[in-house]
């Protein structure tokens, strides 16, 4: 994987409110190609491991609780300059500060329930993709 790939999660809050289809449509309309995708449910151990970089931060417990509360859609996305372009599409972590037209502005209800996760660097895109997908599950 190189700078043309990123990783994303459509979070349980977006699935439980029926917004996943609209989010996937926005991703598609923005020119992202889905290179891998699956519906899964994170266990407590899985969520704590995936978000271990945030362990000890005040929001860690709430984040883990949200991410284990229901199914998630995990994806590897392809696009030129994918990480940066996807971060623009999803908007600020805080939906109140997100730009109009972004996924989080449209579908998030709070900083924690912010509808989607997107990798913040090429290195994290690789690490996060490897966490969820084997080589045979990718169409790169």
């Amino acid at each position: 994987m190189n700078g043309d790939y990123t990783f994303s999660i459509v979070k349980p809050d977006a699935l439980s409110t029926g917004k996943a289809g609209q989010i996937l449509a926005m991703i598609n309309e923005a020119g992202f190609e889905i290179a891998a995708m699956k519906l899964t449910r994170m266990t407590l151990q899985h969520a704590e491991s995936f978000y271990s970089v945030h362990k000890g931060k005040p929001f860690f417990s709430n984040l883990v609780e949200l991410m284990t509360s229901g199914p998630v859609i995990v994806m590897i996305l392809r696009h030129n300059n994918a990480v940066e372009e996807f971060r623009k599409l999803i908007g600020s972590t805080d939906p109140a500060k997100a730009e109009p037209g972004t996924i989080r502005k449209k579908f998030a209800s709070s900083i924690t329930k912010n509808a989607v996760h997107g990798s913040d660097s090429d290195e994290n895109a690789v690490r996060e993709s490897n966490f969820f997908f084997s080589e045979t599950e990718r169409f790169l």
Side-chain angles (χ1 to χ4, degrees), residues 71-135:
V72 296
I73 298 171
V74 293
M75 298 175 282
I76 299 173
L77 303 171
R78 181 186 345 226
H79 192 285
N80 289 335
N81 199 18
V83 170
E84 184 178 335
E85 291 301 314
F86 194 67
R87 301 291 293 179
K88 287 180 194 173
L89 177 64
I90 64 176
S92 174
T93 304
D94 182 349
K97 296 177 183 174
E99 293 290 322
T102 61
I103 291 172
R104 288 177 172 157
K105 188 66 164 186
K106 292 178 98 170
F107 303 115
S109 60
S110 69
I111 291 175
T112 303
K113 293 182 177 181
N114 62 11
V116 292
H117 164 86
S119 299
D120 61 3
S121 68
D122 290 340
E123 295 77 23
N124 280 336
V126 171
R127 182 187 64 78
E128 293 169 351
S129 295
N130 290 341
F131 192 89
F132 283 97
F133 293 100
S134 70
E135 288 299 317

Side-chain angles (χ1 to χ4, degrees), residues 46-65:
H46 210 197
E48 287 178 343
S49 177
F50 185 78
Y51 288 107
S52 63
V53 297
H54 299 302
K55 194 167 182 110
K57 295 179 181 173
F59 60 85
F60 180 75
S61 293
N62 288 339
L63 178 60
V64 168
E65 183 179 334

